[in-house]
PDB file of all heavy atoms in Angstrom:
ATOM      1  N   ARG A 289      27.005 -30.179 -31.083  1.00  0.00           N
ATOM      2  CA  ARG A 289      25.881 -29.308 -31.416  1.00  0.00           C
ATOM      3  C   ARG A 289      25.896 -28.097 -30.507  1.00  0.00           C
ATOM      4  O   ARG A 289      26.421 -28.139 -29.396  1.00  0.00           O
ATOM      5  CB  ARG A 289      24.548 -30.043 -31.301  1.00  0.00           C
ATOM      6  CG  ARG A 289      24.143 -30.439 -29.904  1.00  0.00           C
ATOM      7  CD  ARG A 289      22.870 -31.272 -29.944  1.00  0.00           C
ATOM      8  NE  ARG A 289      22.426 -31.660 -28.608  1.00  0.00           N
ATOM      9  CZ  ARG A 289      21.433 -32.508 -28.380  1.00  0.00           C
ATOM     10  NH1 ARG A 289      20.772 -33.062 -29.400  1.00  0.00           N
ATOM     11  NH2 ARG A 289      21.078 -32.800 -27.137  1.00  0.00           N
ATOM     12  N   GLU A 297      28.330 -28.598 -27.352  1.00  0.00           N
ATOM     13  CA  GLU A 297      28.466 -29.838 -26.598  1.00  0.00           C
ATOM     14  C   GLU A 297      28.786 -31.003 -27.524  1.00  0.00           C
ATOM     15  O   GLU A 297      28.272 -31.099 -28.640  1.00  0.00           O
ATOM     16  CB  GLU A 297      27.188 -30.145 -25.797  1.00  0.00           C
ATOM     17  CG  GLU A 297      25.957 -30.413 -26.628  1.00  0.00           C
ATOM     18  CD  GLU A 297      24.785 -30.985 -25.844  1.00  0.00           C
ATOM     19  OE1 GLU A 297      25.002 -31.674 -24.828  1.00  0.00           O
ATOM     20  OE2 GLU A 297      23.633 -30.739 -26.262  1.00  0.00           O
ATOM     21  N   ILE A 299      28.341 -34.656 -28.634  1.00  0.00           N
ATOM     22  CA  ILE A 299      27.225 -35.584 -28.520  1.00  0.00           C
ATOM     23  C   ILE A 299      27.537 -36.985 -29.018  1.00  0.00           C
ATOM     24  O   ILE A 299      26.885 -37.947 -28.590  1.00  0.00           O
ATOM     25  CB  ILE A 299      25.966 -35.056 -29.244  1.00  0.00           C
ATOM     26  CG1 ILE A 299      26.240 -34.818 -30.729  1.00  0.00           C
ATOM     27  CG2 ILE A 299      25.439 -33.811 -28.562  1.00  0.00           C
ATOM     28  CD1 ILE A 299      24.990 -34.587 -31.543  1.00  0.00           C
ATOM     29  N   ALA A 300      28.490 -37.147 -29.907  1.00  0.00           N
ATOM     30  CA  ALA A 300      28.772 -38.484 -30.435  1.00  0.00           C
ATOM     31  C   ALA A 300      30.161 -38.500 -31.052  1.00  0.00           C
ATOM     32  O   ALA A 300      30.654 -37.476 -31.521  1.00  0.00           O
ATOM     33  CB  ALA A 300      27.735 -38.891 -31.477  1.00  0.00           C
ATOM     34  N   THR A 309      30.829 -43.561 -29.129  1.00  0.00           N
ATOM     35  CA  THR A 309      30.436 -43.014 -27.826  1.00  0.00           C
ATOM     36  C   THR A 309      29.335 -41.997 -28.050  1.00  0.00           C
ATOM     37  O   THR A 309      29.264 -41.362 -29.112  1.00  0.00           O
ATOM     38  CB  THR A 309      31.615 -42.337 -27.112  1.00  0.00           C
ATOM     39  OG1 THR A 309      32.166 -41.332 -27.975  1.00  0.00           O
ATOM     40  CG2 THR A 309      32.702 -43.335 -26.748  1.00  0.00           C
ATOM     41  N   PHE A 310      28.498 -41.851 -27.024  1.00  0.00           N
ATOM     42  CA  PHE A 310      27.366 -40.936 -27.119  1.00  0.00           C
ATOM     43  C   PHE A 310      27.150 -40.226 -25.802  1.00  0.00           C
ATOM     44  O   PHE A 310      27.358 -40.783 -24.726  1.00  0.00           O
ATOM     45  CB  PHE A 310      26.087 -41.695 -27.481  1.00  0.00           C
ATOM     46  CG  PHE A 310      26.146 -42.390 -28.804  1.00  0.00           C
ATOM     47  CD1 PHE A 310      26.542 -43.707 -28.883  1.00  0.00           C
ATOM     48  CD2 PHE A 310      25.832 -41.714 -29.972  1.00  0.00           C
ATOM     49  CE1 PHE A 310      26.629 -44.358 -30.098  1.00  0.00           C
ATOM     50  CE2 PHE A 310      25.906 -42.351 -31.198  1.00  0.00           C
ATOM     51  CZ  PHE A 310      26.307 -43.675 -31.267  1.00  0.00           C
ATOM     52  N   ALA A 311      26.695 -38.986 -25.909  1.00  0.00           N
ATOM     53  CA  ALA A 311      26.267 -38.272 -24.721  1.00  0.00           C
ATOM     54  C   ALA A 311      24.962 -38.880 -24.220  1.00  0.00           C
ATOM     55  O   ALA A 311      24.179 -39.435 -25.011  1.00  0.00           O
ATOM     56  CB  ALA A 311      26.062 -36.795 -25.042  1.00  0.00           C
ATOM     57  N   ASP A 312      24.733 -38.767 -22.929  1.00  0.00           N
ATOM     58  CA  ASP A 312      23.509 -39.328 -22.359  1.00  0.00           C
ATOM     59  C   ASP A 312      22.257 -38.755 -23.010  1.00  0.00           C
ATOM     60  O   ASP A 312      21.244 -39.434 -23.129  1.00  0.00           O
ATOM     61  CB  ASP A 312      23.477 -39.071 -20.849  1.00  0.00           C
ATOM     62  CG  ASP A 312      24.488 -39.924 -20.092  1.00  0.00           C
ATOM     63  OD1 ASP A 312      24.980 -40.924 -20.662  1.00  0.00           O
ATOM     64  OD2 ASP A 312      24.787 -39.585 -18.937  1.00  0.00           O
ATOM     65  N   SER A 313      22.344 -37.512 -23.432  1.00  0.00           N
ATOM     66  CA  SER A 313      21.175 -36.830 -24.000  1.00  0.00           C
ATOM     67  C   SER A 313      20.706 -37.434 -25.327  1.00  0.00           C
ATOM     68  O   SER A 313      19.555 -37.232 -25.728  1.00  0.00           O
ATOM     69  CB  SER A 313      21.473 -35.342 -24.190  1.00  0.00           C
ATOM     70  OG  SER A 313      22.595 -35.155 -25.041  1.00  0.00           O
ATOM     71  N   VAL A 314      21.584 -38.163 -25.995  1.00  0.00           N
ATOM     72  CA  VAL A 314      21.209 -38.731 -27.304  1.00  0.00           C
ATOM     73  C   VAL A 314      21.329 -40.242 -27.340  1.00  0.00           C
ATOM     74  O   VAL A 314      20.937 -40.876 -28.337  1.00  0.00           O
ATOM     75  CB  VAL A 314      22.058 -38.122 -28.436  1.00  0.00           C
ATOM     76  CG1 VAL A 314      21.959 -36.594 -28.417  1.00  0.00           C
ATOM     77  CG2 VAL A 314      23.514 -38.569 -28.350  1.00  0.00           C
ATOM     78  N   LYS A 315      21.848 -40.836 -26.277  1.00  0.00           N
ATOM     79  CA  LYS A 315      22.062 -42.277 -26.254  1.00  0.00           C
ATOM     80  C   LYS A 315      20.739 -43.020 -26.451  1.00  0.00           C
ATOM     81  O   LYS A 315      19.730 -42.680 -25.850  1.00  0.00           O
ATOM     82  CB  LYS A 315      22.704 -42.673 -24.918  1.00  0.00           C
ATOM     83  CG  LYS A 315      23.362 -44.027 -24.895  1.00  0.00           C
ATOM     84  CD  LYS A 315      24.120 -44.237 -23.593  1.00  0.00           C
ATOM     85  CE  LYS A 315      25.289 -43.291 -23.473  1.00  0.00           C
ATOM     86  NZ  LYS A 315      26.083 -43.517 -22.234  1.00  0.00           N
ATOM     87  N   GLY A 316      20.775 -44.007 -27.328  1.00  0.00           N
ATOM     88  CA  GLY A 316      19.580 -44.779 -27.619  1.00  0.00           C
ATOM     89  C   GLY A 316      18.740 -44.206 -28.742  1.00  0.00           C
ATOM     90  O   GLY A 316      17.848 -44.884 -29.262  1.00  0.00           O
ATOM     91  N   ARG A 317      19.016 -42.962 -29.121  1.00  0.00           N
ATOM     92  CA  ARG A 317      18.253 -42.335 -30.211  1.00  0.00           C
ATOM     93  C   ARG A 317      19.132 -42.052 -31.430  1.00  0.00           C
ATOM     94  O   ARG A 317      18.644 -42.081 -32.570  1.00  0.00           O
ATOM     95  CB  ARG A 317      17.629 -41.019 -29.728  1.00  0.00           C
ATOM     96  CG  ARG A 317      16.665 -41.175 -28.566  1.00  0.00           C
ATOM     97  CD  ARG A 317      15.967 -39.848 -28.236  1.00  0.00           C
ATOM     98  NE  ARG A 317      16.892 -38.815 -27.804  1.00  0.00           N
ATOM     99  CZ  ARG A 317      17.016 -37.635 -28.408  1.00  0.00           C
ATOM    100  NH1 ARG A 317      16.285 -37.341 -29.468  1.00  0.00           N
ATOM    101  NH2 ARG A 317      17.881 -36.736 -27.943  1.00  0.00           N
ATOM    102  N   PHE A 318      20.397 -41.757 -31.190  1.00  0.00           N
ATOM    103  CA  PHE A 318      21.332 -41.429 -32.269  1.00  0.00           C
ATOM    104  C   PHE A 318      22.304 -42.577 -32.471  1.00  0.00           C
ATOM    105  O   PHE A 318      22.696 -43.256 -31.523  1.00  0.00           O
ATOM    106  CB  PHE A 318      22.129 -40.179 -31.942  1.00  0.00           C
ATOM    107  CG  PHE A 318      21.346 -38.885 -31.926  1.00  0.00           C
ATOM    108  CD1 PHE A 318      19.963 -38.863 -31.966  1.00  0.00           C
ATOM    109  CD2 PHE A 318      22.023 -37.673 -31.858  1.00  0.00           C
ATOM    110  CE1 PHE A 318      19.251 -37.669 -31.935  1.00  0.00           C
ATOM    111  CE2 PHE A 318      21.330 -36.472 -31.823  1.00  0.00           C
ATOM    112  CZ  PHE A 318      19.949 -36.486 -31.870  1.00  0.00           C
ATOM    113  N   THR A 319      22.678 -42.808 -33.713  1.00  0.00           N
ATOM    114  CA  THR A 319      23.752 -43.739 -34.017  1.00  0.00           C
ATOM    115  C   THR A 319      24.758 -43.049 -34.938  1.00  0.00           C
ATOM    116  O   THR A 319      24.420 -42.087 -35.629  1.00  0.00           O
ATOM    117  CB  THR A 319      23.239 -45.018 -34.679  1.00  0.00           C
ATOM    118  OG1 THR A 319      22.577 -44.674 -35.910  1.00  0.00           O
ATOM    119  CG2 THR A 319      22.264 -45.774 -33.777  1.00  0.00           C
ATOM    120  N   LEU A 331      25.624 -39.380 -38.947  1.00  0.00           N
ATOM    121  CA  LEU A 331      24.947 -39.321 -37.658  1.00  0.00           C
ATOM    122  C   LEU A 331      23.457 -39.517 -37.929  1.00  0.00           C
ATOM    123  O   LEU A 331      22.813 -38.629 -38.494  1.00  0.00           O
ATOM    124  CB  LEU A 331      25.199 -37.993 -36.954  1.00  0.00           C
ATOM    125  CG  LEU A 331      24.592 -37.875 -35.549  1.00  0.00           C
ATOM    126  CD1 LEU A 331      25.315 -38.820 -34.571  1.00  0.00           C
ATOM    127  CD2 LEU A 331      24.659 -36.442 -35.038  1.00  0.00           C
ATOM    128  N   ASN A 334      17.260 -40.334 -34.612  1.00  0.00           N
ATOM    129  CA  ASN A 334      15.888 -40.821 -34.559  1.00  0.00           C
ATOM    130  C   ASN A 334      15.188 -40.260 -33.322  1.00  0.00           C
ATOM    131  O   ASN A 334      15.829 -39.782 -32.383  1.00  0.00           O
ATOM    132  CB  ASN A 334      15.860 -42.344 -34.518  1.00  0.00           C
ATOM    133  CG  ASN A 334      16.489 -42.969 -35.744  1.00  0.00           C
ATOM    134  OD1 ASN A 334      16.380 -42.445 -36.854  1.00  0.00           O
ATOM    135  ND2 ASN A 334      17.138 -44.105 -35.555  1.00  0.00           N
ATOM    136  N   ASP A 340      16.565 -31.049 -29.277  1.00  0.00           N
ATOM    137  CA  ASP A 340      17.652 -31.398 -30.199  1.00  0.00           C
ATOM    138  C   ASP A 340      17.921 -30.286 -31.205  1.00  0.00           C
ATOM    139  O   ASP A 340      18.886 -30.368 -31.967  1.00  0.00           O
ATOM    140  CB  ASP A 340      17.319 -32.692 -30.953  1.00  0.00           C
ATOM    141  CG  ASP A 340      17.251 -33.909 -30.057  1.00  0.00           C
ATOM    142  OD1 ASP A 340      18.110 -34.036 -29.154  1.00  0.00           O
ATOM    143  OD2 ASP A 340      16.348 -34.742 -30.254  1.00  0.00           O
ATOM    144  N   TYR A 344      24.560 -28.334 -35.837  1.00  0.00           N
ATOM    145  CA  TYR A 344      25.380 -29.519 -35.638  1.00  0.00           C
ATOM    146  C   TYR A 344      26.680 -29.379 -36.429  1.00  0.00           C
ATOM    147  O   TYR A 344      26.664 -29.034 -37.613  1.00  0.00           O
ATOM    148  CB  TYR A 344      24.613 -30.766 -36.074  1.00  0.00           C
ATOM    149  CG  TYR A 344      23.544 -31.174 -35.085  1.00  0.00           C
ATOM    150  CD1 TYR A 344      22.401 -30.397 -34.892  1.00  0.00           C
ATOM    151  CD2 TYR A 344      23.696 -32.323 -34.310  1.00  0.00           C
ATOM    152  CE1 TYR A 344      21.439 -30.747 -33.969  1.00  0.00           C
ATOM    153  CE2 TYR A 344      22.728 -32.696 -33.386  1.00  0.00           C
ATOM    154  CZ  TYR A 344      21.612 -31.903 -33.213  1.00  0.00           C
ATOM    155  OH  TYR A 344      20.648 -32.256 -32.295  1.00  0.00           O
TER     156      TYR A 344
END
Side-chain angles (χ1 to χ4, degrees):
R289 68 185 181 188
E297 64 168 331
I299 59 168
T309 56
F310 299 93
D312 288 343
S313 58
V314 305
K315 198 172 294 183
R317 300 186 297 122
F318 291 11
T319 60
L331 184 68
N334 299 325
D340 294 319
Y344 285 69

